[in-house]
Amino acid sequence: MISITKDFRFDAAHYLPTAPKGHPNSRMHGHSFVVAVTLEGVPGAQSGLIRDFAEIDAAVAGVRERLDHHVLNEIEGLALPTLERLAAWIFGALSPKLPELVSVTVRRDSLGESCTFRRA
């Protein structure tokens, strides 16, 4: 079994409506996010690939467009945009187009934080 990973980046704003009043996360703020999309499988006998990176780029482009420079809270399914829910949401958005998808990791490098959602 072999894994391949494609990263993409986006910037977005959000707030956590469940954060206590006065908590910094209760206010609108933004992050630069890095997302690692990992696929796993056996390379095809003819192609030698699990999946062409151009196909991954195409699948990722639609998700990136939905997230980049938007308020995450306003995107359907992300009313409470924690790192955990964001990773799961991206996984759900990509998995129909990328059946080999095994995990999505979302990082906020400036904070040294990340979350990984894995296929069950």
mmCIF file of all heavy atoms in Angstrom, residues 9 11 24 26 38 48 52 64 70 83 91 96-98 112:
data_model
loop_
_atom_site.group_PDB
_atom_site.id
_atom_site.type_symbol
_atom_site.label_atom_id
_atom_site.label_comp_id
_atom_site.label_asym_id
_atom_site.label_seq_id
_atom_site.Cartn_x
_atom_site.Cartn_y
_atom_site.Cartn_z
ATOM 1 N N ARG A 9 -3.722 25.492 0.277
ATOM 2 C CA ARG A 9 -3.809 26.564 1.270
ATOM 3 C C ARG A 9 -5.035 27.418 1.017
ATOM 4 O O ARG A 9 -5.484 27.563 -0.112
ATOM 5 C CB ARG A 9 -2.565 27.457 1.190
ATOM 6 C CG ARG A 9 -1.283 26.725 1.469
ATOM 7 C CD ARG A 9 -0.049 27.608 1.179
ATOM 8 N NE ARG A 9 1.149 26.823 1.336
ATOM 9 C CZ ARG A 9 1.761 26.580 2.487
ATOM 10 N NH1 ARG A 9 1.278 27.087 3.601
ATOM 11 N NH2 ARG A 9 2.842 25.836 2.539
ATOM 12 N N ASP A 11 -7.135 31.059 3.061
ATOM 13 C CA ASP A 11 -7.282 32.011 4.159
ATOM 14 C C ASP A 11 -8.767 32.227 4.383
ATOM 15 O O ASP A 11 -9.533 32.348 3.419
ATOM 16 C CB ASP A 11 -6.610 33.341 3.810
ATOM 17 C CG ASP A 11 -5.125 33.195 3.607
ATOM 18 O OD1 ASP A 11 -4.446 32.755 4.542
ATOM 19 O OD2 ASP A 11 -4.639 33.500 2.495
ATOM 20 N N PRO A 24 -11.115 35.408 23.083
ATOM 21 C CA PRO A 24 -10.692 35.896 21.765
ATOM 22 C C PRO A 24 -11.358 35.165 20.598
ATOM 23 O O PRO A 24 -11.631 35.771 19.555
ATOM 24 C CB PRO A 24 -9.183 35.655 21.751
ATOM 25 C CG PRO A 24 -8.786 35.557 23.178
ATOM 26 C CD PRO A 24 -9.980 35.037 23.920
ATOM 27 N N SER A 26 -14.341 34.175 20.391
ATOM 28 C CA SER A 26 -15.746 34.549 20.225
ATOM 29 C C SER A 26 -15.884 35.695 19.226
ATOM 30 O O SER A 26 -16.980 35.945 18.727
ATOM 31 C CB SER A 26 -16.373 34.933 21.564
ATOM 32 O OG SER A 26 -15.828 36.148 22.043
ATOM 33 N N THR A 38 -4.580 13.150 1.849
ATOM 34 C CA THR A 38 -3.805 11.920 1.647
ATOM 35 C C THR A 38 -4.685 10.813 1.073
ATOM 36 O O THR A 38 -5.757 10.525 1.606
ATOM 37 C CB THR A 38 -3.170 11.459 2.972
ATOM 38 O OG1 THR A 38 -2.314 12.508 3.450
ATOM 39 C CG2 THR A 38 -2.352 10.199 2.784
ATOM 40 N N GLY A 48 0.981 3.338 -13.096
ATOM 41 C CA GLY A 48 1.953 3.454 -12.015
ATOM 42 C C GLY A 48 1.526 4.452 -10.945
ATOM 43 O O GLY A 48 2.302 4.791 -10.062
ATOM 44 N N ASP A 52 -3.728 10.511 -10.504
ATOM 45 C CA ASP A 52 -2.959 11.607 -11.089
ATOM 46 C C ASP A 52 -3.136 12.856 -10.213
ATOM 47 O O ASP A 52 -4.265 13.205 -9.836
ATOM 48 C CB ASP A 52 -3.466 11.873 -12.507
ATOM 49 C CG ASP A 52 -2.600 12.843 -13.270
ATOM 50 O OD1 ASP A 52 -2.280 13.921 -12.730
ATOM 51 O OD2 ASP A 52 -2.256 12.535 -14.423
ATOM 52 N N ARG A 64 -11.378 24.429 -2.207
ATOM 53 C CA ARG A 64 -10.611 25.635 -1.872
ATOM 54 C C ARG A 64 -11.415 26.889 -2.204
ATOM 55 O O ARG A 64 -11.467 27.834 -1.423
ATOM 56 C CB ARG A 64 -9.279 25.649 -2.612
ATOM 57 C CG ARG A 64 -8.422 26.824 -2.239
ATOM 58 C CD ARG A 64 -7.108 26.847 -3.043
ATOM 59 N NE ARG A 64 -6.323 27.978 -2.643
ATOM 60 C CZ ARG A 64 -6.523 29.232 -3.055
ATOM 61 N NH1 ARG A 64 -7.524 29.505 -3.892
ATOM 62 N NH2 ARG A 64 -5.767 30.217 -2.630
ATOM 63 N N HIS A 70 -13.508 33.474 2.723
ATOM 64 C CA HIS A 70 -14.900 33.477 3.140
ATOM 65 C C HIS A 70 -14.960 33.406 4.664
ATOM 66 O O HIS A 70 -13.971 33.101 5.327
ATOM 67 C CB HIS A 70 -15.649 32.274 2.554
ATOM 68 C CG HIS A 70 -15.901 32.407 1.082
ATOM 69 N ND1 HIS A 70 -16.937 33.129 0.556
ATOM 70 C CD2 HIS A 70 -15.214 31.912 0.024
ATOM 71 C CE1 HIS A 70 -16.893 33.074 -0.756
ATOM 72 N NE2 HIS A 70 -15.849 32.340 -1.113
ATOM 73 N N LEU A 83 -11.526 23.424 14.254
ATOM 74 C CA LEU A 83 -10.551 22.723 13.415
ATOM 75 C C LEU A 83 -11.026 21.299 13.141
ATOM 76 O O LEU A 83 -10.904 20.788 12.021
ATOM 77 C CB LEU A 83 -9.189 22.728 14.124
ATOM 78 C CG LEU A 83 -7.937 22.602 13.285
ATOM 79 C CD1 LEU A 83 -7.871 23.634 12.172
ATOM 80 C CD2 LEU A 83 -6.707 22.701 14.170
ATOM 81 N N PHE A 91 -13.039 16.519 4.368
ATOM 82 C CA PHE A 91 -13.025 15.100 4.023
ATOM 83 C C PHE A 91 -14.334 14.719 3.314
ATOM 84 O O PHE A 91 -14.326 14.068 2.271
ATOM 85 C CB PHE A 91 -12.827 14.240 5.273
ATOM 86 C CG PHE A 91 -12.595 12.792 4.958
ATOM 87 C CD1 PHE A 91 -11.311 12.281 4.917
ATOM 88 C CD2 PHE A 91 -13.657 11.932 4.710
ATOM 89 C CE1 PHE A 91 -11.090 10.939 4.622
ATOM 90 C CE2 PHE A 91 -13.453 10.594 4.419
ATOM 91 C CZ PHE A 91 -12.151 10.098 4.365
ATOM 92 N N PRO A 96 -16.306 11.966 -2.205
ATOM 93 C CA PRO A 96 -17.016 11.450 -3.383
ATOM 94 C C PRO A 96 -16.173 11.510 -4.661
ATOM 95 O O PRO A 96 -16.321 10.669 -5.546
ATOM 96 C CB PRO A 96 -18.246 12.355 -3.500
ATOM 97 C CG PRO A 96 -18.447 12.902 -2.127
ATOM 98 C CD PRO A 96 -17.054 13.054 -1.564
ATOM 99 N N LYS A 97 -15.306 12.507 -4.762
ATOM 100 C CA LYS A 97 -14.477 12.672 -5.957
ATOM 101 C C LYS A 97 -13.162 11.901 -5.863
ATOM 102 O O LYS A 97 -12.528 11.641 -6.884
ATOM 103 C CB LYS A 97 -14.180 14.154 -6.178
ATOM 104 C CG LYS A 97 -15.416 14.963 -6.457
ATOM 105 C CD LYS A 97 -15.088 16.430 -6.590
ATOM 106 C CE LYS A 97 -16.381 17.209 -6.783
ATOM 107 N NZ LYS A 97 -16.158 18.633 -6.844
ATOM 108 N N LEU A 98 -12.754 11.593 -4.642
ATOM 109 C CA LEU A 98 -11.470 10.922 -4.413
ATOM 110 C C LEU A 98 -11.703 9.704 -3.520
ATOM 111 O O LEU A 98 -11.445 9.747 -2.312
ATOM 112 C CB LEU A 98 -10.461 11.886 -3.754
ATOM 113 C CG LEU A 98 -10.150 13.174 -4.516
ATOM 114 C CD1 LEU A 98 -9.311 14.113 -3.657
ATOM 115 C CD2 LEU A 98 -9.441 12.862 -5.835
ATOM 116 N N GLY A 112 0.823 26.584 15.391
ATOM 117 C CA GLY A 112 1.363 25.258 15.703
ATOM 118 C C GLY A 112 0.274 24.252 16.018
ATOM 119 O O GLY A 112 0.472 23.359 16.838
#
